[in-house]
Amino acid sequence: MAHHHSESDDEDYSYDDDSESEQEEEEEEEPRSSRKKRGRSNPDHSVGSARGKKRKPSGSIFIEDDVIVDDDEVEDEDDVEDGFIEHGEADLGDEDVVGRRHRPFHEPAAFRSRVGAEEYLDFMQEKYSNPRAEYDDEDDYEDGEPTHVDQQALLPSVRDPKLWMVKCAIGREREVAVCLMQKAVDRGSDFKIRSVIALDHLQNFIYIEADMEAHVKEAIKGMRNIFANHKILLVPIREMADVLSVKSKTVELARDTWVRMKLGIYKGDLAQVVDVDDVRRRVTVKLIPRIDLQLLADKQEGSVIVKKKSFVPPPRFMNVDEARELHIRVERRRDRMTGDYFENIGGLLFKDGFLYKKVSTKSISTQNVTPTFDELERFKKSNENGEIDFVDMSTLFANRKKGHFMKGDEVIVVKGDLKNMKGWVEKVDEENVLIRSEMKGLNNPLAVNERELCKYFEPGNHVKVVSGTHKEATGMVVKVDQHVLFILTDTTKQHIRVFADHVVKSAEVTNGVTKMGEYELHDLVLLSNLSFGVIIKLDSEAIQVLKGIPGRTELAIVKHGEIKYKIDKRINVKDRNKNVITVKDVVRVTEGPSKGKQGPVMHIYKGVLFLHDRHNVEHAGFVCVKCSSCVLSGGSYSGADRIVDSFSRLGNSKSPAPVPPSPRRFQRADSGYNSGAGGRHWSGRGGGRGGHDLLVGAYVKVRLGPFKGYRGRIVEVKEKTVRLEHEAKIVTGKLNLPLHTHLVAAC
Amino acid sequence: MFFHIVLERNMQLHPRFFGRNLRENLVSKLMKDVEGTCSGRHGFVVAITGIESVGKGLIRDGTAFVTFPVKYQCVVFRPFKGEILEAVVTLVNKMGFFAEAGPVQIFVSKHLIPDDMEFQAGDMPNYTTSDGSVKIQKECEVRLKIIGTRVDATEIFCVGTIKDDFLGVINDPAAAA
């Protein structure tokens, strides 16, 4: 048998000798051409066979170097071949291992027939019994993965085909690459270039891999989209690897994903992807149209010269009947691709009120697109289909950033067999979340896919919003509706709708966003149109201001740019009974629509008071009144409003009646007594003795002179001098300075 | 719910109040300080019923104030989640209505009002059923259930519902009149 075998072997041998070369060539070409095609093209005889003849039918038959031939190895074959044989097995094994990872065994059948059964068996044994198997993942790093050194060995050298950079028409790179590929298939042997690369991020150029520039020139002859007269640039060897290194993540655009437009009149608008055309890098999106029908009608008639649009029309669904009424030509067309009917108005396609537009991939942004509720609703509105609700939600959740479950969160299963089961999160893996439920009979913990879970809240939970438009709002959950929560905010007592994913349980109570840029909540600001008001609500988008028009409650919603500056003046006004009112005094409104309201004054400006009524739920409790329609209601609010004994009342009253100095002392002591641990809130204003009650009690900072930089409260005012009570010491410093120039009111 | 508990507080007193009436001064100060306040833990202090004990006063270093630890009994009111209360409606708007049960204010959101009640704006905004049989307006008495409380340092705010059985308007003085 063995004999027979050997004979057959010999036969095979000799047979293989000839065929081997052919096989070899094929296989040599194979790796290269596999990049272009897996073809059966005739290899380059002259080159291949020359090499082939040199091949010695020695032990190399057992070695797979045909198949795993890499570019560099092929070139140095003559030398390396002998090297291969001389080296010990270990090294070979190494090479094999590496090679196999790079180039999987292409033609087992051919190899088998070539080698013969016994040799094949031996070879197989060798391959798979190798203890240093590549399939073992627990190996040391050096065996398990191609090492850096191995990678380096595969880098191009001088003998490899070079990379040439060719200029082509912009936007047509992929097209050109595909064309060249087709040409290679058609031409076959004539085609001497090895490969063509078209990169997404590099416009105007393609790379061609070839040995000589002449090959490249011949290949591109006749290609319309390539600029042949431009110089063909050679890529230096060092940079060749960089050409193919991918840095950015390619975003996959699928149907029904939500995107936002980046350019044009629809900039910033939400859109839904309807169709993707990869070759031309264009997508068809569905938008809510912003069409000015009147302008269209005029344009069609030709009466109006189209001038550059100075304003963007608001988004509105397209009503075809309306368009017809205005005598705009509406064509009903059938789209070849989808088979749907479209209305064509002025070159734009409409369906169901939506505008379907073909745009390039560059002009849409796919990252971080979180549609707001309003936008989603508008999209759904025209469809009137209840099912779409869920579909939209699920597409939304596909885009959502992962990993927002934390240990201890209460969750509920929304999809699958375990739907409606509640549990607590124990551990979060990449895709699976382990939850523990209270149900008996289930093995805890359960692994559930992240997509099937949703955070669970019950009405009455106190929560905080951590992302989205209502970021930083805290409130109480009032109603739960699948993924959507209705929350009553703490500050403004309003309902907001948020996704359950954006919310965490928290005991924290914040004022929402209190500071946006330079403006804080409850600041008095001047608006661009010279009206003023108090900020009652700060949002990431806009600021709500209660205008300073006494008698009417007027709200204005402004953007940051419209606010000129913060008003911060210390002004005193007189109330109805000629009592002096300053900030922090409690007043009561006696006439007008806000009659009966009472509260401390927060701001005074131009004779208008802003007081804060705690019981008023509208406008954050702020009420705007004229100073003449309110009375001082005793007791300053600055920390001592509860204690109403005689001393403090005396001290705090604003009546300009002369008060002997001793109560002042008492009163100062009193305020210390009253505020207790409250610190140094000197509620006393020292009474209004002498003129200039404007300044008395004002907290100022000295600008010039020996006391420059000192801060303190003004205690007494004479004609030219002011007595300042300095913070650090209770020593009053006499300042012989003209008042207005040297004191700067500080807050 | 109302509770009668013993609380302790450190009262600071100025020497000017020393003398014969020290204890009375202390008590009156305590009352002024504490009655009407609200703490997160105990709720609203409604009234002080009696003083249990007054400890020895300690003079504070640096100032002349003296600190007395006072133990006193008082009635407190603290709302709990799940509690059922009667309250008086104070304000009605399209988001819901506000009701007051003693010192605590409760907000009942529109979503927690039975669906058949619609908001009607006007001179006296109210919520009415479709057949007009039940009306919630200012000065109505309602029975509601507290579903959540939020406790600030100095205030307690509650959210309630009338969407369950046996909840809703008890008495409507305006309608009766």
Side-chain angles (χ1 to χ4, degrees), chain B residues 80-151:
Chain B
F80 283 96
K81 182 173 159 170
E83 196 182 338
I84 299 184
L85 289 175
E86 283 91 35
V88 174
V89 177
T90 52
L91 184 77
V92 181
N93 68 18
K94 61 175 167 62
M95 314 279 292
F97 65 84
F98 283 88
E100 267 182 31
V104 71
Q105 197 180 54
I106 307 167
F107 177 66
V108 180
S109 146
K110 172 107 180 48
H111 302 282
L112 297 169
I113 297 176
D115 298 326
D116 53 352
M117 301 195 96
E118 290 288 319
F119 175 69
Q120 265 148 35
D123 197 24
M124 279 283 269
N126 58 54
Y127 280 91
T128 326
T129 47
S130 40
D131 54 3
S133 55
V134 184
K135 208 168 173 179
I136 300 181
Q137 56 187 4
K138 196 166 169 191
E139 301 303 317
C140 267
E141 290 171 21
V142 289
R143 184 173 289 130
L144 44 83
K145 180 166 154 182
I146 296 184
I147 54 163
T149 59
R150 194 193 73 238
V151 174

Side-chain angles (χ1 to χ4, degrees), chain A residues 365-400:
Chain A
S365 80
T366 45
Q367 311 281 33
N368 290 337
V369 175
T370 38
T372 61
F373 274 107
D374 303 320
E375 290 169 324
L376 274 178
E377 264 195 32
R378 302 202 78 197
F379 260 85
K380 280 184 267 167
K381 218 196 294 184
S382 126
N383 290 337
E384 317 259 18
N385 194 355
E387 279 172 26
I388 292 206
D389 202 15
F390 195 59
V391 167
D392 285 349
M393 292 296 185
S394 60
T395 53
L396 272 178
F397 290 123
N399 288 346
R400 196 168 297 289

Side-chain angles (χ1 to χ4, degrees), chain A residues 272-327:
Chain A
Q272 195 173 24
V273 175
V274 167
D275 190 31
V276 180
D277 185 0
D278 259 333
V279 177
R280 284 212 195 83
R281 319 288 292 147
R282 289 181 88 77
V283 288
T284 315
V285 292
K286 186 164 114 169
L287 290 158
I288 300 180
R290 284 178 188 261
I291 303 286
D292 188 357
L293 285 169
Q294 193 57 49
L295 200 65
L296 254 183
D298 294 337
K299 205 175 5 160
Q300 290 214 331
E301 282 174 28
S303 55
V304 171
I305 312 155
V306 180
K307 51 185 185 294
K308 192 161 175 314
K309 265 209 172 53
S310 50
F311 79 104
V312 176
R316 212 164 51 92
F317 287 113
M318 170 58 75
N319 194 340
V320 187
D321 302 319
E322 231 177 84
R324 287 216 174 94
E325 267 177 47
L326 287 169
H327 304 297

